[in-house]
């Protein structure tokens, strides 16, 4: 969590958060340390702080689960003046939705392109209504086919792919 490219706050980690904090020492919200990635909405607020990202989520999880955690943290953090402080929110999502379109054990994700758009709009509207003075970065999904290519040259990646196959089976066929 503390080395997350966007919001990681571990000392000496090359992250957007640490870069911004160098120029604004009053910046708050960066995540620190590490903990096991979960898919059961387990947050450790002392480590996650404002990092609401969870492994394996799809767009349908954004408007409720992740945003619920984030809004609670913003509301109750004594170092944040919600109406007056500027905030930056980065949303990087889509790979799990895409992988969900692969048949695994005969089942498919229910996230169609229209549903993906509707869930993103719902998320952004909820942010607009609840978080004043926010700059939102919405990142497009990366080309997941590159994962396969890179994985062919690494024994570590080959082992990880055995596990990921369960989540994104058609990527490794």
């Amino acid at each position: 969590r503390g080395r997350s490219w966007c919001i990681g706050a571990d000392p000496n980690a090359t992250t957007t958060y640490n870069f911004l904090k160098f120029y604004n020492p009053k910046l708050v919200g960066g995540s620190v340390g590490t903990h096991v990635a979960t898919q059961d909405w387990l947050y450790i607020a002392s480590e996650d702080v404002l990092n609401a990202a969870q492994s394996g989520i799809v767009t349908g999880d954004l408007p409720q689960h992740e945003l619920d955690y984030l809004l609670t943290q913003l509301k109750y953090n004594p170092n944040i003046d919600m109406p007056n402080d500027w905030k930056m929110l980065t949303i990087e999502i889509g790979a799990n939705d895409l992988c969900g379109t692969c048949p695994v054990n005969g089942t498919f994700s229910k996230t169609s392109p229209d549903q993906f758009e509707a869930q993103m709009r719902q998320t952004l509207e909820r942010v607009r209504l609840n978080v004043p003075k926010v700059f939102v970065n919405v990142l497009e999904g990366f080309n997941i086919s590159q994962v396969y290519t890179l994985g062919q040259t690494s024994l570590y990646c080959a082992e990880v792919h055995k596990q990921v196959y369960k989540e994104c089976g058609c990527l490794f066929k």
Side-chain angles (χ1 to χ4, degrees), residues 99-109 165-170 173:
C99 282
T101 64
C102 300
V104 176
N105 298 328
T107 62
F108 293 87
S109 167
Y165 180 80
K166 297 171 189 172
E167 295 177 8
C168 198
C170 63
K173 288 186 178 182

Side-chain angles (χ1 to χ4, degrees), residues 1 4 13-14 29 31 37 46 51 63 69 73 84 89 97 127 135 140 150 167:
R1 311 284 291 170
S4 170
T14 304
S31 55
S46 62
N51 185 350
Y69 170 81
Q73 296 307 306
N84 298 307
L89 172 64
D97 293 282
V127 168
F135 179 84
E140 68 177 306
L150 292 172
E167 295 177 8

Side-chain angles (χ1 to χ4, degrees), residues 60-134:
D61 300 320
L62 282 176
Q64 300 305 314
H65 300 290
E66 288 193 326
L67 206 46
D68 285 347
Y69 170 81
L70 181 60
L71 292 175
T72 300
Q73 296 307 306
L74 286 169
K75 182 177 180 180
Y76 293 109
N77 188 319
N79 298 311
I80 297 173
D81 180 353
M82 187 68 151
N84 298 307
D85 288 347
W86 278 97
K87 294 152 283 293
M88 183 171 77
L89 172 64
T90 299
I91 300 173
E92 181 178 16
I93 189 117
N96 293 324
D97 293 282
L98 184 59
C99 282
T101 64
C102 300
V104 176
N105 298 328
T107 62
F108 293 87
S109 167
K110 294 183 169 58
T111 306
S112 70
D114 289 340
Q115 289 169 321
F116 181 91
E117 178 185 354
Q119 292 159 347
M120 284 298 293
R121 286 183 184 278
Q122 180 184 2
T123 300
L124 294 171
E125 181 64 9
R126 190 163 175 221
V127 168
R128 186 186 70 79
L129 293 172
N130 291 283
V131 186
K133 291 190 171 184
V134 62

